[in-house]
Amino acid sequence: MSTETGEKSARSHKLGWALVFAVVYADIGTSIFYVPAILYLSIGNLATLAQIITTGVFISIARKYVEICERCPDGGGVVSIVRQAFSSWPWLPLVGGSFITVDYFLTSAISGISGVYYLATLMPGAKEFVIPFTGALFVALTVLNIVGIKESAQVTSWFSALKILVTFLLLGASAVWLSRNGAWSMLFGQVFHPGVELSATVLMIGYADTWLAYSGLESAAQVSGSMEAPVSRTASKAMWLVIIAIAVFSPPITAAAIYILPDHVKHGDPESLMSALAFMTGGSPLGILTVISASTLLFMACNTAIVGNYHVNVRLADLGFCPAFLRRRHPRFGTPHISIVLSAAIPMLVILFTRGSISALGDLYAFGLLGTLTLSSAAVDRLRWRDGIRGWKFWGGLFTTVAVTAAWLINMVHKPEALLFGGILAAIMVFLGLRHHIEAEREATKSFSMAETAAADSPEASTVLTLEEAIEAGAIESADVMISIRYVNARLLEERALQVKGAGRTNAYVIYVDEAPGLFLAPETKPTPDALRILGEACALLGEYHITGIPIWRIAEDAGSAVAEAATKLKVKNVFVGSSKRNFFWRMLRGRILKKLANSLPEECSLQIIG
């Protein structure tokens, strides 16, 4: 196959802006089927007004997610953007992962049971069996994901188009109903003058609760790895369509449902308001079409949340925050079956705990969602500041972070049960994650130390020393200076040779670290050809100035920590690191190696960067 044909094939498997819109809208758009009821049960007829007030902040946070897609083109959402922005706080991605996991649990639960509630409207007496039917749904989705269901963005786009069509039909049927009943002016008065006293407290509660309608934003960041290049343009077009669809459809459909439906329906059957609205304004044809559309999309949203959840679990396991068994693959199907089972079982337990109450699930919903949005928004602000971005873009983004954080705090105060449930679950996940990470680091340290000891006996290591060998040799030949290198930096080596010679010493440690990301090493680890070549050339250059270079080779997950450990055990006074025109200095400026090295060195040892 030619290169051109291969590139076309690769592009054909990427998501264009239309399909990205379909994927995101299929997730976020499903909120229209349950959010109006949750808002009505919370703040009554103010639901529509609250949605209008929140729209501006929603637009800003949606635009921030475009930037997240651009900055994290491999996906990962909140975990990736937080890790990138707060590299000096390695535990913070775990917090973000915990928040989004809580959100996914509640998204799965509320989407799954809402879909079953809508189906139950077609079968009299079926409502009492909703919880068992939902259990069967989760079992089916678990099996499908373990076997390896292949979701198609094209299929998703068809259902998104069906959902938009149904929404148009609902709005049209509602408009006809209002016209026939001469109720347009009354509708306007009902939305903006709802007969209840407007207060700051009521508006704040409505503002915080309305964020339930925007729970699908994270799905955009999760699919960024599948977007057509340039990712920023693809994500931007898709997100603008999402913004327009939500802003145009959500407030009027909420207003129509709340005003047209009688109170006994809104209070007695809040789980399926849209189907009730469809049957009342458009008869059986529109009602059945709405039920089919709602249940299908809600089931897809439920499955999307399960998929997103186990992907987050696997990603956290890759970072060492979750046990390795969560990424263990099924021997036949190749899917992370244990993570899939947990991602489906916990939402079902939540449904049992809340007895399938949409209102109770809504109360628990917002903690993880708003926590995720707050962390993601703050991460973008930090990256913008680090990149020197100021002006309206930065300050507008900062205002968005403050606004989302305010919604999160209001939700905690107004719904303490959400704080209790989400906070305890997130805290347990963070505690277990940190504990596992610490234990994994200990095991990794032992593993790398054993690998170095074993490599000392290999023929390739005959011209270099491991740290253990360098410590033993220190009784005869030691040095006060350690030079950390990734390539032969002539300026660094020449200056250090002259410095050592001027101090009346004749030796200098030269250290090279082979990095091996992850916690598992190959059975036969040995110095790489690059390590041997660079150490050999560096020591030869020092020899031209009559300085003996003592070559030390190490293998580690993190180069900064490995150099710091060597400097500490060898009791050197100065560590020198050379900048590179290729990638080493760039990585240090990003904070990963330099911060580790600087924080780990003893106080009596100085660190100098040589450009």
Side-chain angles (χ1 to χ4, degrees):
M1 183 174 65
S2 67
T3 303
E4 182 179 356
T5 303
E7 290 176 353
K8 289 181 179 179
S9 177
R11 287 196 299 270
S12 68
H13 289 84
K14 291 291 186 178
L15 302 180
W17 58 267
L19 291 182
V20 172
F21 161 74
V23 171
V24 177
Y25 188 67
D27 190 357
I28 195 172
T30 55
S31 62
I32 203 172
F33 294 116
Y34 53 80
V35 168
I38 293 174
L39 292 178
Y40 177 77
L41 294 175
S42 175
I43 57 176
N45 295 341
L46 282 172
T48 306
L49 181 59
Q51 285 182 320
I52 294 172
I53 292 173
T54 314
T55 300
V57 183
F58 162 65
I59 292 173
S60 181
I61 194 70
R63 296 304 303 167
K64 273 192 167 182
Y65 264 89
V66 174
E67 189 167 334
I68 292 174
C69 292
E70 181 181 7
R71 291 181 180 272
C72 304
D74 295 327
V78 62
V79 175
S80 294
I81 195 66
V82 170
R83 186 174 183 228
Q84 188 179 131
F86 303 101
S87 57
S88 57
W89 298 343
W91 50 269
L92 204 52
L94 173 61
V95 176
S98 300
F99 286 155
I100 192 59
T101 297
V102 172
D103 181 35
Y104 278 141
F105 285 152
L106 270 302
T107 298
S108 300
I110 200 168
S111 298
I113 199 163
S114 293
V116 177
Y117 271 124
Y118 271 94
L119 276 183
T121 61
L122 299 180
M123 298 173 284
K127 191 173 180 179
E128 58 184 285
F129 300 105
V130 163
I131 292 180
F133 287 163
T134 305
L137 168 69
F138 275 97
V139 170
L141 291 178
T142 301
V143 173
L144 286 174
N145 279 284
I146 290 176
V147 171
I149 182 173
K150 302 297 183 182
E151 294 182 296
S152 168
Q154 189 66 53
V155 173
T156 303
S157 69
W158 296 339
F159 284 111
S160 295
L162 175 62
K163 193 265 179 185
I164 292 174
L165 173 62
V166 169
T167 304
F168 269 120
L169 292 175
L170 270 174
L171 289 174
S174 299
V176 171
W177 188 94
L178 289 169
S179 297
R180 287 177 177 174
N181 291 274
W184 277 107
S185 59
M186 296 177 62
L187 172 65
F188 185 81
Q190 187 82 353
V191 172
F192 292 98
H193 303 284
V196 297
E197 183 179 353
L198 291 176
S199 65
T201 301
V202 172
L203 285 178
M204 285 192 297
I205 292 172
Y207 166 72
D209 286 349
T210 304
W211 282 95
L212 297 176
Y214 311 131
S215 60
L217 283 174
E218 182 71 10
S219 60
Q222 296 293 339
V223 300
S224 60
S226 301
M227 294 182 187
E228 283 185 356
V231 171
S232 58
R233 185 168 62 186
T234 300
S236 181
K237 290 182 178 180
M239 202 60 76
W240 273 121
L241 277 180
V242 171
I243 290 169
I244 293 170
I246 295 298
V248 169
F249 294 145
S250 292
I253 203 71
T254 299
I258 290 176
Y259 177 67
I260 293 175
L261 293 175
D263 289 341
H264 73 273
V265 174
K266 289 181 288 188
H267 289 282
D269 195 22
E271 300 89 359
S272 50
L273 286 190
M274 291 303 111
S275 63
L277 178 65
F279 278 110
M280 184 171 180
T281 60
S284 295
L286 182 57
I288 294 173
L289 182 62
T290 300
V291 168
I292 294 174
S293 171
S295 57
T296 303
L297 275 169
L298 286 165
F299 292 159
M300 291 182 65
C302 177
N303 186 67
T304 299
I306 292 174
V307 173
N309 204 341
Y310 75 70
H311 274 97
V312 170
N313 292 339
V314 171
R315 194 169 188 87
L316 289 175
D318 290 337
L319 295 176
F321 287 118
C322 288
F325 69 77
L326 287 178
R327 60 182 176 184
R328 188 178 302 161
R329 300 282 173 170
H330 192 280
R332 178 177 178 182
F333 302 113
T335 52
H337 55 292
I338 298 177
S339 185
I340 292 172
V341 170
L342 288 175
S343 298
I346 294 178
M348 193 60 226
L349 291 176
V350 174
I351 290 173
L352 293 173
F353 175 76
T354 59
R355 298 180 181 179
S357 169
I358 294 294
S359 178
L361 288 169
D363 288 344
L364 300 178
Y365 198 165
F367 178 84
L369 166 65
L370 290 170
T372 300
L373 295 180
T374 297
L375 272 181
S376 297
S377 185
V380 173
D381 293 336
R382 183 178 176 89
L383 290 171
R384 286 176 178 177
W385 182 269
R386 183 188 298 172
D387 294 343
I389 298 174
R390 303 293 188 269
W392 68 268
K393 185 174 184 179
F394 173 78
W395 295 109
L398 188 61
F399 172 79
T400 301
T401 301
V402 172
V404 176
T405 304
W408 193 24
L409 295 176
I410 293 169
N411 183 269
M412 292 183 198
V413 174
H414 176 56
K415 296 180 177 178
E417 63 275 13
L419 174 60
L420 185 66
F421 172 80
I424 290 177
L425 185 56
I428 291 174
M429 293 177 62
V430 170
F431 172 76
L432 295 177
L434 289 176
R435 180 181 176 184
H436 177 76
H437 190 64
I438 292 172
E439 293 177 353
E441 281 191 333
R442 289 174 182 169
E443 292 299 319
T445 301
K446 293 179 183 178
S447 176
F448 284 111
S449 178
M450 293 172 60
E452 283 185 6
T453 302
D457 297 327
S458 66
E460 289 83 1
S462 60
T463 59
V464 297
L465 300 177
T466 63
L467 177 58
E468 185 178 336
E469 291 173 329
I471 294 173
E472 293 177 357
I476 302 174
E477 292 285 347
S478 63
D480 294 332
V481 171
M482 176 174 289
I483 307 170
S484 177
I485 58 174
R486 287 292 294 181
Y487 81 116
V488 179
N489 186 326
R491 178 187 172 187
L492 170 67
L493 294 167
E494 291 170 3
E495 290 182 357
R496 299 292 67 76
L498 294 173
Q499 180 184 6
V500 171
K501 192 173 183 179
R505 302 298 297 268
T506 58
N507 299 329
Y509 291 119
V510 183
I511 186 169
Y512 183 101
V513 181
D514 272 325
E515 287 188 283
L519 304 180
F520 303 98
L521 296 171
E524 297 182 2
T525 304
K526 54 189 178 183
T528 61
D530 279 344
L532 297 175
R533 176 182 58 80
I534 291 171
L535 284 172
E537 292 178 4
C539 289
L541 186 55
L542 289 175
E544 295 179 6
Y545 294 89
H546 306 290
I547 299 298
T548 301
I550 303 175
I552 300 175
W553 169 80
R554 300 214 65 191
I555 183 168
E557 182 183 10
D558 180 81
S561 298
V563 173
E565 182 187 13
T568 302
K569 291 185 176 181
L570 292 171
K571 300 178 181 180
V572 300
K573 297 179 179 179
N574 299 284
V575 174
F576 297 92
V577 180
S579 67
S580 169
K581 295 179 180 178
R582 291 180 288 179
N583 61 3
F584 183 57
F585 194 53
W586 178 85
R587 291 166 63 191
M588 289 194 299
L589 287 176
R590 300 298 291 179
R592 200 173 71 82
I593 294 178
L594 182 58
K595 289 180 180 178
K596 279 274 190 179
L597 182 55
N599 293 335
S600 303
L601 285 174
E603 292 183 3
E604 61 273 15
C605 182
S606 67
L607 172 64
Q608 296 185 41
I609 310 299
I610 309 299

